[in-house]
């Protein structure tokens, strides 16, 4: 069992670092499950993401570094925001929602970048305030933590109906995998991150046929003219 744990997480079992890596792997797995459910517009996806934040950042903060709550709490609120935002859509089945897709805009991109700066700063925490993250040999840590923050921001975009947010989620996974390959990767964390990339691409593909506000308005307008007026020229 100890050998299996080491092979999966590249850390000795029973150590603080091993526990933290295992918790973040479980968190990443729950995020993957959340993304697959959200691709199907299922409300349960947001509950899975809430559990993901609790299993990883929240538990690690409560056990090892309380300052991480400055990131965990906003990340939890982001998942709660997604649950609330999906509740604005009509039900489709037991847990599904009739999500209305929003088109890409420069404004949405700028808001996404601003949110990334905020969540990235919260994720870095004391490493940012002490200047540690700007030292030599910390580039991989900086990129990996920003990739984690990007996933949270991407989920906010998904909650608002932006299809392009799925590509942002996949991009964060690709960056994270690239960083892991440059170090001694934990096999479990590497595997679930690859699934995150695939889940993002799956969501982007599935959401291609979702109706937009314009298409719904056009359909309603055409429906109001049926049957055609006999007085039309």
């Amino acid at each position: 069992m100890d050998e299996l744990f080491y092979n999966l997480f590249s850390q000795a079992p029973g150590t603080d670092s091993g526990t933290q890596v295992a918790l973040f792997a479980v968190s990443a797995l729950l995020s993957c499950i959340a993304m697959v459910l959200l691709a199907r517009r299922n409300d349960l996806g947001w509950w899975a993401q809430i559990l993901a934040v609790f299993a990883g950042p929240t538990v690690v903060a409560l056990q090892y570094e309380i300052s991480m709550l400055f990131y965990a709490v906003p990340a939890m609120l982001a998942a709660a925001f997604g649950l609330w935002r999906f509740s604005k859509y009509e039900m489709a089945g037991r847990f599904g929602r009739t999500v209305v897709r929003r088109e890409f805009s420069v404004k949405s991109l700028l808001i996404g970048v601003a949110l990334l700066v905020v969540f990235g700063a919260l994720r870095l925490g004391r490493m940012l305030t002490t200047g540690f993250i700007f030292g030599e040999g910390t580039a991989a840590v900086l990129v990996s933590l920003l990739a984690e923050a990007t996933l949270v921001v991407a989920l906010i975009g998904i909650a608002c109906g932006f299809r392009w947010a799925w590509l942002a989620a996949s991009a964060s996974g690709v960056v994270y995998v690239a960083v892991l390959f440059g170090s001694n990767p934990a096999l479990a964390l590497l595997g679930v991150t690859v699934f995150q990339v695939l889940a993002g691409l799956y969501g982007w593909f599935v959401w291609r046929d979702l109706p937009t506000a314009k298409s719904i308005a056009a359909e309603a307008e055409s429906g109001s003219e049926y049957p055609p007026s006999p007085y039309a020229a």
Side-chain angles (χ1 to χ4, degrees), residues 81-132:
F81 166 78
L83 187 63
W84 170 80
R85 189 67 180 79
F86 263 40
S87 70
K88 299 298 181 181
Y89 300 116
E90 295 181 1
M91 293 291 296
R94 190 169 184 180
F95 297 108
R97 296 285 178 175
T98 55
V99 176
V100 178
R101 178 166 54 88
R102 300 174 67 179
E103 299 292 346
F104 171 80
S105 65
V106 176
K107 180 181 178 180
S108 66
L109 178 61
L110 293 177
I111 293 175
V113 172
L115 288 175
L116 178 58
V117 171
V118 173
F119 277 93
L122 292 173
R123 182 65 183 92
L124 293 172
R126 289 190 302 175
M127 289 185 288
L128 181 64
T129 56
T130 60
F132 168 80

